Amino acid sequence: MLTYILRRLLLMIPTLFGITLVVFFIVQAAPGGPIEQALKEMSGDTGGAVSGSTVISKEVIEDLKKQYDFDKPIYVRYGKWLKTTLTFNFGTSLVYEGEPVLKVIASKFPVSIQFGLTSLCLTYLLCIPLGIAKAVRDKSRFDYISSMLIFLGHSTPGFVLGILLVVFFGGGSFWNLFPIGGIYSPDYETLSAGQQFLDRIHHAVLPIICYMVGHVAVITMLMKNSLIGELSKDYIKTARAKGLKHFWVVYKHALRNALIPIVTGIGGIFTLIFAGSVLIETVFNLDGMGLLTYNSVMKRDYTVIMASVTIHSLLIMLGNIFADVMLILVDPRIDFE
């Protein structure tokens, strides 16, 4: 197993290199870069470098190219970026007043961690027991009603549900039960530790529901179908024939094998705490990673875009390795060697 992990870690190097190389060339070739943005600000016009009788001189344009390293070939710029990135220095943001990129990203992480990690844990804690209950009560009234409810939720986009929750429970038109915006109250620092914990929960309820709604149906039905498949196999029939109680047949023999498809998706824990959701963050006024990435792309903040892509890609690959390790813990028969 250790050899497999080391091999996967080594394979991450060329994979990450290829991803960053492609993204860097695409981002640098896209129109509307920092030079164009600076020229628009200087000319006071949103349509180009000329506003009325104001003409930007070639000297100014050349100085801007030198400032943003656009006077060098693109492969030289990529090499410079790669060299600084290897020292964990992603440079400074072009939009956030020259702040270090890692500082900008770190300022958005509390939102991503709170909502991404919490929604992931709650989704699995809800869906696994619900899937088991649906499997052992297959084709019952409980199974039909629960399926109708979870598929109704699955068919509703998270941001649409967020708007409805704000209207009904966030003081939009009906009840003002939950605060909208931010992850804690303005007087957070004056609260006790217990009150701070409750305050964070109070702010998190509605966004977490929206984060979870798109995944509950998938994981629940996957758990149900996987367990039903295991319960129909010969080794389960043999266990029943030996007189084992239904509880032990389900939870000791069938459940462990049924968890294998579920475990494969748990590697997403590394990406969920980083990715965020642009639309949900917009609805609930949450300044997280999703909104940061979107704004960076729209404003051509190259350094933040490249840092986000690099970290996100790294987390996806680490998540896949973590999922493989979890598979072996669930089923020792699996051997990746």
Side-chain angles (χ1 to χ4, degrees), residues 256-267:
R256 186 168 186 176
N257 291 329
L259 284 174
I260 293 177
I262 305 298
V263 170
T264 57
I266 204 171

Side-chain angles (χ1 to χ4, degrees), residues 44-118:
D45 182 69
T46 59
V50 180
S51 177
S53 60
T54 303
V55 179
I56 306 299
S57 65
K58 291 183 178 180
E59 289 78 8
V60 173
I61 296 176
E62 291 300 323
D63 289 340
L64 287 173
K65 288 183 178 180
K66 290 181 180 179
Q67 179 181 348
Y68 295 109
D69 283 337
F70 274 77
D71 59 327
K72 302 179 179 66
I74 191 169
Y75 61 86
V76 175
R77 300 201 298 270
Y78 176 75
K80 182 178 179 180
W81 174 85
L82 186 62
K83 182 179 179 180
T84 56
T85 301
L86 291 176
T87 62
F88 297 99
N89 178 16
F90 291 98
T92 58
S93 171
L94 303 177
V95 175
Y96 290 87
E97 299 180 352
E99 289 190 9
V101 172
L102 286 180
K103 182 179 179 181
V104 174
I105 292 177
S107 66
K108 314 300 179 182
F109 247 93
V111 174
S112 300
I113 292 176
Q114 175 170 327
F115 294 104
L117 187 58
T118 304

Side-chain angles (χ1 to χ4, degrees), residues 104-317:
V104 174
I105 292 177
S107 66
K108 314 300 179 182
F109 247 93
V111 174
S112 300
I113 292 176
Q114 175 170 327
F115 294 104
L117 187 58
T118 304
S119 63
L120 178 74
C121 295
L122 290 178
T123 299
Y124 275 87
L125 288 174
L126 170 66
C127 294
I128 291 178
L130 181 58
I132 295 172
K134 287 174 64 62
V136 297
R137 297 174 177 84
D138 187 33
K139 298 180 180 179
S140 66
R141 180 179 298 180
F142 168 79
D143 183 35
Y144 291 132
I145 294 176
S146 59
S147 294
M148 181 183 67
L149 293 176
I150 63 174
F151 280 115
L152 177 63
H154 182 67
S155 63
T156 305
F159 73 95
V160 174
L161 178 62
I163 295 173
L164 294 175
L165 292 176
V166 169
V167 171
F168 283 96
F169 303 107
S173 299
F174 295 88
W175 302 283
N176 188 15
L177 301 180
F178 297 97
I180 303 300
I183 59 176
Y184 47 76
S185 301
D187 60 343
Y188 180 79
E189 298 296 335
T190 64
L191 303 177
S192 63
Q195 290 174 329
Q196 289 180 347
F197 178 72
L198 294 176
D199 183 66
R200 282 182 173 268
I201 293 178
H202 194 204
H203 280 76
V205 171
L206 299 186
I208 285 178
I209 292 175
C210 297
Y211 272 95
M212 292 175 57
V213 69
H215 305 285
V216 170
V218 175
I219 299 177
T220 300
M221 298 308 296
L222 183 61
M223 182 73 248
K224 174 194 172 183
N225 295 332
S226 179
L227 184 56
I228 288 177
E230 291 297 322
L231 290 174
S232 64
K233 292 184 177 179
D234 291 338
Y235 76 96
I236 295 296
K237 296 177 181 178
T238 302
R240 293 184 189 277
K242 289 181 178 180
L244 288 180
K245 293 183 178 180
H246 178 72
F247 177 87
W248 294 111
V249 169
V250 173
Y251 290 95
K252 184 178 180 180
H253 294 276
L255 180 59
R256 186 168 186 176
N257 291 329
L259 284 174
I260 293 177
I262 305 298
V263 170
T264 57
I266 204 171
I269 186 174
F270 290 91
T271 56
L272 276 176
I273 64 175
F274 185 81
S277 172
V278 176
L279 295 175
I280 294 177
E281 289 176 7
T282 302
V283 171
F284 290 100
N285 193 24
L286 302 173
D287 192 12
M289 287 303 305
L291 203 56
L292 171 66
T293 303
Y294 173 77
N295 290 333
S296 300
V297 171
M298 297 303 295
K299 297 179 181 178
R300 303 297 191 271
D301 196 346
Y302 294 157
T303 51
V304 175
I305 294 172
M306 291 305 302
S308 299
V309 169
T310 302
I311 297 174
H312 201 178
S313 302
L314 185 63
L315 290 175
I316 290 175
M317 290 183 284

